[in-house]
Amino acid sequence: MKRYADLSPSQRTIMTPGPVEVDPRVLRAMSYPILGQFDPEFTRLMNETMEMLRLLFRTGNRWAYPVDGTSRSGIEAVLASLIEPGDRVLIPIYGRFGHLLHEIADRCGAVVRVIEKEWGTVFEPEEVIGAMKSFKPHVVAMVHGETSTGRIQPLAEIGKACRDEGVLFVVDAVATIGGVPVETDNWYIDAVIGGTQKCLSVPSGMAPVTYNERAERKVLARKRVERGLRSMAEAELSDLRPIQSNYLDLSQLQDYWSPDRLNHHTEMTSMLYALREGLRIVLEEGLDNRFARHKLHESALIAGLEAMGMTLYGDMKCKMPVVTCVTIPGNIDGESVRSMLLHRFGIEIASSFGPLKGKIWRIGTMGYSCRERNVLHLLGAFEAVLQRHRFKLSAGAALQAALDVYEGG
Ligand SMILES: *Cc1c(COP(=O)(O)O)cnc(C)c1O
């Protein structure tokens, strides 16, 4: 019989926009014995997780809980629960993950209007607000931090305008939550989806979401249709349709997370331990300290890359602090550089998608991966590898520039 080797994954320095390195405390949390999902000890852990998620999302919303599945399960749960076939949905797109929102909204039967911005830039709020006012959508859905291009979209004005017009505003904050401020309530966002494997430094496998009463009202109305509870008068007033998905039905998920604990799926015990520990770490550090830490390491990384003679990609006014995109210099094979970083130094950086494939590298400074040792290790290795690829640079300059930042020079 074939024998399979013991599991022994290499120690990597993961400097991608996710998944990133997981805090050892979170890995330990995942190794504890499981509890039954209706065990009071476990429901207490679920409730604590909800409490911590409200702080993370900076919201007073009742509903803040993880959807079991990767981040796109959270996106799909929110869109499938809020969009009825025939609903008008506006999707402003400035990178790959905007296209994901579009695809999911399409599959929900939405009448989608897309507005697009050249990759490397973001929208002026007026552009989105103008399109919203003319299209009069039921929902506006957009990405906060586009990991594909390393850009961050200001949301506050758009959120306010959507609220004023009675439009539901849905935001994919998968890549920003826990690394960059996300102000659910202050920015008038009706539903937000976060991710675990990016700035929270928890493995992939859960999607924390939060939504307010405006969003809940739509979800509950659709549930009443499904149960046949709608009166004739209501039936005449609207043509609400039930939520298509069972697994991703927010009305059922919230019953499961409510004190009623109505059975739905089997909660992912070990992932819940992981998320709870990850959130505890975030709150111990403090959200504002955490955002400042991400900015500090971003500054050191940028200083090093520029001293090396690298050109950063995209409009710097809307650069996402946790992802730094670097233009691959002409006649350098980007994949060969990435491969040498991985195989000689154990460091992983990312390439990009679509129009940016082969044109930029993407370097993440997220969560537990975002620390001085990693930034310095990457800059030293990057210099050496680029020299091996015959790129002319003044050796040592990158590390000195980064050290200047760390030593406050
Ligand atoms: C990573 C990412 C996703 C997708 O997350 P999965 O966990 O792979 O499903 C969605 N949106 C953004 C902005 C991301 O960065």
Side-chain angles (χ1 to χ4, degrees):
M1 198 185 95
K2 180 170 175 192
R3 304 246 330 225
Y4 294 92
D6 283 351
L7 189 62
S8 63
S10 301
Q11 279 285 341
R12 300 285 196 217
T13 298
I14 310 182
M15 303 300 279
T16 65
V20 305
E21 292 169 44
V22 172
D23 193 299
R25 274 176 57 182
V26 171
L27 293 176
R28 277 199 297 279
M30 296 182 82
S31 68
Y32 290 124
I34 67 157
L35 290 164
Q37 63 175 339
F38 298 115
D39 185 325
E41 226 182 276
F42 191 67
T43 46
R44 182 170 50 81
L45 299 178
M46 289 173 73
N47 289 343
E48 287 174 357
T49 304
M50 286 197 282
E51 264 170 47
M52 290 194 279
L53 283 176
R54 287 185 199 104
L55 298 172
L56 175 73
F57 282 116
R58 294 191 155 159
T59 183
N61 289 345
R62 174 171 185 205
W63 298 117
Y65 56 81
V67 175
D68 290 344
T70 72
S71 317
R72 77 182 60 203
S73 75
I75 299 173
E76 195 147 350
V78 166
L79 294 182
S81 299
L82 292 183
I83 300 172
E84 290 180 81
D87 275 359
R88 286 183 308 282
V89 177
L90 174 68
I91 305 193
I93 298 179
Y94 59 101
R96 182 218 171 159
F97 287 106
H99 288 287
L100 176 65
L101 293 173
H102 181 190
E103 197 210 309
I104 296 174
D106 257 348
R107 287 177 187 248
C108 296
V111 176
V112 177
R113 173 159 310 168
V114 163
I115 51 175
E116 283 192 67
K117 214 54 197 187
E118 194 191 331
W119 286 31
T121 65
V122 297
F123 290 89
E124 291 299 330
E126 301 74 49
E127 294 173 307
V128 176
I129 294 167
M132 187 261 293
K133 287 188 172 159
S134 76
F135 184 51
K136 303 197 184 313
H138 297 85
V139 175
V140 172
M142 68 189 303
V143 175
H144 183 215
E146 246 309 340
T147 30
S148 61
T149 63
R151 299 304 108 183
I152 189 163
Q153 171 70 52
L155 297 173
E157 284 174 60
I158 300 171
K160 179 71 171 65
C162 286
R163 184 67 51 96
D164 290 345
E165 299 290 317
V167 173
L168 288 173
F169 187 37
V170 174
V171 171
D172 166 353
V174 170
T176 43
I177 198 77
V180 181
V182 175
E183 303 279 347
T184 303
D185 291 359
N186 289 343
W187 297 347
Y188 303 93
I189 310 174
D190 295 297
V192 187
I193 305 100
T196 52
Q197 79 273 35
K198 315 231 168 158
C199 298
L200 295 184
S201 274
V202 167
S204 172
M206 272 189 169
V209 300
T210 187
Y211 51 92
N212 61 17
E213 282 173 12
R214 285 156 41 91
E216 186 188 7
R217 234 176 280 136
K218 179 136 188 196
V219 170
L220 290 184
R222 297 183 70 192
K223 174 174 161 176
R224 300 204 314 133
V225 177
E226 169 200 304
R227 305 239 167 127
L229 295 177
R230 184 168 58 154
S231 69
M232 285 306 287
E234 274 181 301
E236 275 159 29
L237 279 174
S238 75
D239 50 0
L240 287 169
R241 310 246 200 100
I243 294 166
Q244 264 295 313
S245 175
N246 167 295
Y247 191 68
L248 301 174
D249 176 346
L250 292 180
S251 75
Q252 294 195 45
L253 289 173
Q254 72 180 43
D255 284 345
Y256 177 68
W257 282 86
S258 80
D260 297 341
R261 305 268 164 216
L262 293 187
N263 196 16
H264 183 246
H265 61 292
T266 309
E267 190 48 26
M268 289 183 181
T269 321
S270 307
M271 269 308 291
L272 189 88
Y273 295 164
L275 178 60
R276 181 179 175 281
E277 190 63 10
L279 292 169
R280 230 159 61 91
I281 293 169
V282 169
L283 298 179
E284 277 167 18
E285 181 175 7
L287 280 173
D288 291 324
N289 293 337
R290 196 170 171 94
F291 303 147
R293 169 166 62 85
H294 282 85
K295 292 294 281 180
L296 170 69
H297 297 296
E298 178 205 26
S299 306
L301 177 66
I302 291 179
L305 291 169
E306 285 181 338
M308 217 184 280
M310 292 286 117
T311 308
L312 300 189
Y313 162 84
D315 181 356
M316 291 303 282
K317 286 197 297 297
C318 51
K319 184 188 174 303
M320 198 179 167
V322 295
V323 181
T324 299
C325 298
V326 181
T327 307
I328 301 174
N331 63 39
I332 285 199
D333 176 353
E335 284 309 292
S336 165
V337 168
R338 280 197 337 115
S339 154
M340 197 167 178
L341 279 171
L342 186 68
H343 294 112
R344 295 261 173 243
F345 295 88
I347 301 173
E348 186 183 3
I349 64 169
S351 51
S352 196
F353 316 100
L356 293 176
K357 195 167 170 4
K359 300 223 164 69
I360 62 169
W361 293 298
R362 295 176 308 138
I363 302 173
T365 38
M366 293 178 159
Y368 185 67
S369 282
C370 177
R371 55 194 204 272
E372 181 172 334
R373 195 198 79 112
N374 279 10
V375 170
L376 294 178
H377 183 43
L378 168 65
L379 287 172
F382 208 21
E383 258 192 2
V385 170
L386 285 168
Q387 279 186 306
R388 282 313 259 198
H389 284 77
R390 295 191 191 79
F391 181 75
K392 286 199 180 47
L393 48 79
S394 56
L399 283 172
Q400 292 306 320
L403 286 170
D404 284 345
V405 172
Y406 286 129
E407 290 173 358

